[in-house]
Amino acid sequence: MNRDPAQSLATALGASGARITRQRRVVLDVLDHAPAHLNAREVLRRAREADPGIDRATVYRTLLLLKRAGLIDELDLLHMEGEQHYYERRGESDHVHICCVACGRVEELDTHLVADLIVTIRQTTGFEADSVRIEVKARCPDCISPPA
Amino acid sequence: MNRDPAQSLATALGASGARITRQRRVVLDVLDHAPAHLNAREVLRRAREADPGIDRATVYRTLLLLKRAGLIDELDLLHMEGEQHYYERRGESDHVHICCVACGRVEELDTHLVADLIVTIRQTTGFEADSVRIEVKARCPDCISPPA
DNA sequence: GTTCCTGCAAAGAGTTTGCAGTTCT
DNA sequence: AGAACTGCAAACTCTTTGCAGGAAC
């Protein structure tokens, strides 16, 4: 569960033996500097701002590469808006994604409970957890009692 | 977070005002008696054993109905085999799904940590959690050190 | 009898793949 | 030079939708 988020994705991917092409550098840059939770379509859109010729397939292939290398995580945020997936840089530890079903807002929460869960899993099932994806369907404070 | 798993899905769905047609009864029966984690294709296959004329669209529409009524949960088990979703009857409380990346085995785990998480979310973010989906990418004991 | 539901067939979203040409190292 | 990567276009998987006929209440 140890990663180094200070390192750029390009550096990390290069270290894994993959070639750093112009197109990949653009995609990695998008992911490095983006707010969390971009879907593939949005990654493509942003990548094309820097390199208009870049193709859908290249984006998908790069995302797959990053997933396989463990450098990004794939989420689906409970399919609140269609079936697309969302991607985010993998950090030092997993966090919780809390999605408001009313307004669509997504919050992240870091809590020791995630680490506790990994320990509990090992102790009670013998499974060694690699990563934990927690997505919560919820209602945010504003949607529970709307502000006047 | 309170549900009554003793009640059949047909009864519960009927209570919500939906018509209980022959086709729906078949689909509900499949979900009532199935092992956990059927995908739509498998629900269709099993439903057709009881009613060969049943259509894909009917299965999807029934699953949507059940999701909306909060009677089933939709999972994706980390997309280990394609992009399909998996469905299971919603129980009294949420549990953890642990997926072995090596052999594909899926285990369920009930732990108070899920309830703890809901409390923590309320206290630290003010969000009211409705349901929690926890999917863990892991390696099972057999795949960590294969049995001779 | 009215409203809701079904099967069929076609469309749709999102993603993947084969291939010929190009670029990285 | 050689392996890896790219864009293009087509294909593929899973799911949804429009519609005309049929079943539930």
Side-chain angles (χ1 to χ4, degrees), chain A residues 32 41 85 87 104 108:
Chain A
D32 265 334
R41 175 200 295 266
H85 301 143
Y87 302 89
E108 301 191 346

Side-chain angles (χ1 to χ4, degrees), chain B:
Chain B
M1 303 282 294
N2 284 320
R3 304 126 196 172
D4 180 0
Q7 195 180 206
S8 82
L9 280 174
T11 308
L13 188 60
S16 84
R19 285 187 186 166
I20 303 304
T21 62
R22 178 171 47 82
Q23 294 91 332
R24 283 187 183 165
R25 202 183 306 276
V26 168
V27 172
L28 302 178
D29 220 57
V30 166
L31 293 167
D32 266 334
H33 299 108
H37 320 140
L38 298 185
N39 59 33
R41 174 200 295 268
E42 182 64 16
V43 172
L44 176 60
R45 202 187 61 69
R46 292 182 184 223
R48 280 189 167 153
E49 288 176 0
D51 179 351
I54 202 166
D55 192 76
R56 232 174 323 150
T58 300
V59 168
Y60 280 111
R61 286 190 273 235
T62 304
L63 290 172
L64 181 59
L65 201 63
L66 290 166
K67 252 192 292 180
R68 293 236 170 102
L71 297 170
I72 59 174
D73 280 323
E74 185 178 66
L75 315 169
D76 60 30
L77 301 180
L78 299 164
H79 310 117
M80 289 198 307
E81 5 179 16
E83 296 307 309
Q84 72 254 188
H85 300 143
Y86 299 84
Y87 302 90
E88 69 178 17
R89 273 211 68 170
R90 193 159 170 177
E92 297 199 51
S93 63
D94 292 311
H95 50 253
V96 178
H97 290 93
I98 312 170
C99 315
C100 177
V101 289
C103 70
R105 180 148 72 101
V106 178
E107 293 277 304
E108 301 190 346
L109 174 66
D110 273 296
T111 161
H112 66 85
L113 288 173
V114 180
D116 292 355
L117 179 62
I118 290 172
V119 172
T120 300
I121 288 170
R122 181 168 49 233
Q123 289 174 347
T124 65
T125 69
F127 279 55
E128 286 291 343
D130 167 49
S131 65
V132 178
R133 191 162 97 186
I134 306 185
E135 300 179 315
V136 180
K137 197 181 293 186
R139 217 162 245 279
C140 75
D142 290 352
C143 292
I144 294 169
S145 47

